[in-house]
Amino acid sequence: MSHPQRHADWQQMAADRQFETRAFINDAFVEAASGDTFETINPATGKCLARVASCDAPDAELAVGHARAAFASGEWSRLAPGRRKKILLVLADLMETHRHELALLDTLDMGKPIASSLGDVQGAIGCFRYHAESIDKLFGEVAPTGDDSLALVLREPLGVVASIVPWNFPLMMTAWKVAPALAAGNSVILKPSEKSPLSALRLAELARKAGIPSGVFQVLPGFGHTVGKALALSMGVDCLSFTGSTQVGKQLMQYAGQSNLKKVYLECGGKSPNLVFADCKDLDKVARNAAEAIFHNQGEVCIAGSRLLVENSIREAFVEKVLAAAETMQPGDPLDPESFMGAMVDETQYRRVLDFIRQGVEEGASLRAGGEALKGDGWFIPPTVFDGVTPQMVIGREEIFGPVLAIFGFDTEEEAIAMANDSDYGLAAGFWSQDIDRIMRVTRRLHSGQVFVNNWAGGDQTVPFGGVKQSGNGRDKSHHSLEEYSELKTVWMSLTP
Ligand code: NAD
């Protein structure tokens, strides 16, 4: 089916689909050295989709050896940037040709609605194109010296980059890491999440077809504590670029310290505040946005607007509008293009979210919508809204990573800013106001990697994405992400007068 559109088209395409399940090492699809496999499940049905190669330390060692050899050969690392660009653009074109298939893999693997997956695939393609196009436009520097010297600052690739990514945006998070790392000339080993390995393996097939040389891009499916840890401890890996939980991010920094002080770039969790001031315009629009900010992707979004802070003078009326918007966002079959929410990624995440909901009720927050799982197959949780949440409550502090909104009230701007910043995280923050003085004041004072003013989650490839505090130290997207995957080399030449 070349252009699936209706629910039935996607169901048919899913029924016909074959999966690549082996690791991609050097230039070949191979079983794990141990022969072990793990199940990847379709969370909308609870059924096994495929058994996938479960890589471990020996596979990591093999892949690192090939990656180092490829880097040393210079076939990619020393290729003129303009030629790397051409190959990456071919890869982006292949992804475009196979966009429906890539979207289907992410939807089947992690339960997100197919319409969202199609958007993610377009984002991933755009990311490859952006970095391909930018790499032959980046210049080094000539330093201001006297006549007796010439000083250059060169930008060079790092070597071997291991990218460890999560399951919530499988292909898009992969592209955010892999595209700039490859564009900069590195060899890249990708470890997808054990919950969503299928699109990464399909990407490896497309990369080979595009002409990326052997050993330059490899994919090792498997668990974090096995193959992920082996990559993180490897003496042959120069950089770890990670997106995932804060807890695992902390472990990766320790592994770098225990091994070779590899660079570690972390994009971790969040508990992002969304502030609604009484002076904002069009409360219906703001309420719909606030609901989308948390219920998009079933709430499994690092920048989910999970803390909604509302000025008390409009709170009662505003909460009613949020509840009305949430009512229209019920989960449905992820293969139905009309579904706004899909299934939770797996049973563990589903139980974790339900446990947070139970704690919210026990702590005395007021449950205004949802709260109970849907009956039937698969792991579906409806939009859940708690009002009267306080900063002391677990649901007001911890990242739930599910469709659970915590609403707080505030009386003054000062109080709102203090509550917003009272978090271990600092990934995103947003606010709604028409007062230009307030907009400037609040923007400056929110302690966060990104601030959304009168929108939530706005952005494109040109701007960096990342956090402060325990949300991590990395920046994906934009020219700044290329800085993470390259090293500065200073060259000082003495000249004979
Ligand atoms: P996770 O930390 O459990 O896993 C992320 C990746 O790390 C997976 O590939 C996993 O296998 C691997 N891993 C786990 N333990 C490891 C270990 N000991 N050594 C090496 N690798 C290991 O996170 P998750 O559940 O996959 O994703 C959800 C988290 O990701 C949330 O906290 C979310 O906020 C965060 N996230 C952040 C961003 C961002 O840009 N800041 C984007 C998406 C998701």
Side-chain angles (χ1 to χ4, degrees):
M1 178 116 15
S2 53
H3 290 291
Q5 278 173 351
R6 297 168 307 136
H7 190 180
D9 298 341
W10 288 105
Q11 286 172 314
Q12 186 60 51
M13 198 173 162
D16 296 344
R17 185 73 209 138
Q18 302 286 312
F19 306 109
E20 178 53 74
T21 57
R22 293 165 299 171
F24 185 65
I25 299 182
N26 203 18
D27 202 22
F29 284 96
V30 293
E31 300 299 345
S34 63
D36 288 351
T37 57
F38 63 91
E39 277 189 340
T40 185
I41 307 274
N42 178 349
T45 61
K47 297 207 173 84
C48 175
L49 278 172
R51 293 202 69 92
V52 177
S54 186
C55 294
D56 205 333
D59 309 284
E61 204 177 316
L62 195 63
V64 170
H66 288 301
R68 291 230 73 83
F71 190 76
S73 79
E75 200 182 347
W76 183 256
S77 54
R78 295 200 296 276
L79 192 66
R83 294 186 55 203
R84 289 204 294 268
K85 162 172 119 174
K86 280 196 180 136
I87 294 174
L88 290 173
L89 288 176
V90 173
L91 173 55
D93 288 347
L94 285 168
M95 290 168 73
E96 183 98 51
T97 306
H98 295 280
R99 64 190 181 282
H100 296 107
E101 196 186 324
L102 289 165
L104 180 71
L105 293 178
D106 278 356
T107 283
L108 291 177
D109 230 1
M110 64 72 65
K112 70 165 60 194
I114 191 69
S116 293
S117 294
L118 283 167
D120 293 358
V121 174
Q122 284 307 329
I125 294 167
C127 180
F128 270 96
R129 292 205 169 117
Y130 179 87
H131 290 296
E133 284 294 352
S134 56
I135 198 64
D136 65 350
K137 294 159 194 79
L138 275 187
F139 290 79
E141 296 164 15
V142 179
T145 56
D147 272 2
D148 58 349
S149 322
L150 177 64
L152 308 176
V153 184
L154 307 180
R155 203 165 260 295
E156 298 191 337
L158 300 172
V160 176
V161 173
S163 293
I164 300 180
V165 295
W167 46 263
N168 61 335
F169 292 88
L171 191 69
M172 204 162 79
M173 292 299 107
T174 290
W176 285 12
K177 311 281 183 208
V178 170
L182 283 177
N186 299 285
S187 297
V188 179
I189 302 173
L190 169 68
K191 197 214 80 67
S193 168
E194 59 277 18
K195 298 179 185 182
S196 60
L198 297 176
S199 61
L201 294 168
R202 185 69 180 110
L203 184 69
E205 287 180 293
L206 299 179
R208 176 164 71 174
K209 203 165 164 188
I212 292 185
S214 307
V216 170
F217 178 56
Q218 305 177 85
V219 181
L220 301 182
F223 293 96
H225 64 275
T226 57
V227 67
K229 181 175 175 183
L231 287 169
L233 283 169
S234 170
M235 299 297 285
V237 169
D238 302 290
C239 170
L240 275 180
S241 70
F242 171 77
T243 298
S245 62
T246 295
Q247 188 193 356
V248 174
K250 288 180 182 180
Q251 278 179 321
L252 297 189
M253 284 197 150
Q254 290 180 6
Y255 295 151
Q258 284 165 31
S259 54
N260 60 347
L261 277 188
K262 51 181 70 65
K263 292 174 191 297
V264 181
Y265 296 113
L266 305 174
E267 304 283 347
C268 300
K271 185 76 178 177
S272 299
N274 191 5
L275 283 55
V276 181
F277 290 98
D279 67 46
C280 72
K281 209 166 73 179
D282 195 349
L283 281 186
D284 289 306
K285 182 181 144 204
V286 179
R288 181 146 194 99
N289 262 275
E292 282 176 3
I294 177 67
F295 301 128
H296 168 61
N297 214 44
Q298 309 77 242
E300 295 165 328
V301 181
C302 54
I303 55 163
S306 50
R307 287 189 292 149
L308 182 62
L309 279 53
V310 187
E311 192 161 343
N312 280 327
S313 59
I314 57 163
R315 180 156 140 227
E316 216 175 293
F318 188 74
V319 170
E320 289 303 325
K321 291 181 191 297
V322 171
L323 292 172
E327 183 59 34
T328 67
M329 297 177 186
Q330 299 302 320
D333 181 359
L335 289 172
D336 183 347
E338 300 299 320
S339 294
F340 179 85
M341 289 205 326
M344 305 309 297
V345 68
D346 67 2
E347 191 175 355
T348 310
Q349 183 66 11
Y350 165 86
R351 297 210 175 283
R352 194 171 167 268
V353 172
L354 291 175
D355 200 46
F356 273 116
I357 294 173
R358 184 189 52 74
Q359 287 185 68
V361 172
E362 282 173 11
E363 285 181 308
S366 157
L367 180 65
R368 301 292 304 273
E372 283 191 21
L374 301 196
K375 297 209 164 37
D377 292 337
W379 298 300
F380 293 90
I381 298 178
T384 295
V385 179
F386 281 102
D387 192 14
V389 178
T390 67
Q392 291 71 37
M393 293 179 183
V394 171
I395 59 163
R397 302 199 73 79
E398 290 195 21
E399 182 183 47
I400 297 176
F401 224 55
V404 181
L405 179 62
I407 304 181
F408 304 66
F410 67 84
D411 289 315
T412 65
E413 185 182 299
E414 200 59 31
E415 189 192 356
I417 293 170
M419 274 167 79
N421 288 338
D422 178 19
S423 170
D424 291 339
Y425 299 109
L427 188 57
F431 66 96
W432 301 79
S433 169
Q434 292 302 310
D435 176 341
I436 186 67
D437 295 324
R438 167 172 282 160
I439 287 175
M440 293 314 299
R441 277 195 309 268
V442 177
T443 299
R444 286 203 171 116
R445 291 190 56 198
L446 288 172
H447 195 192
S448 172
Q450 49 231 308
V451 174
F452 307 120
V453 183
N454 291 326
N455 73 87
W456 187 265
D460 61 18
Q461 274 303 319
T462 62
V463 289
F465 183 102
V468 298
K469 299 197 269 184
Q470 293 189 36
S471 292
N473 59 354
R475 288 293 180 273
D476 284 328
K477 306 196 300 175
S478 84
H479 288 317
H480 296 285
S481 70
L482 283 169
E483 289 162 12
E484 293 184 359
Y485 300 109
S486 56
E487 196 87 79
L488 296 180
K489 180 191 270 179
T490 299
V491 184
W492 189 279
M493 294 184 226
S494 296
L495 304 181
T496 309

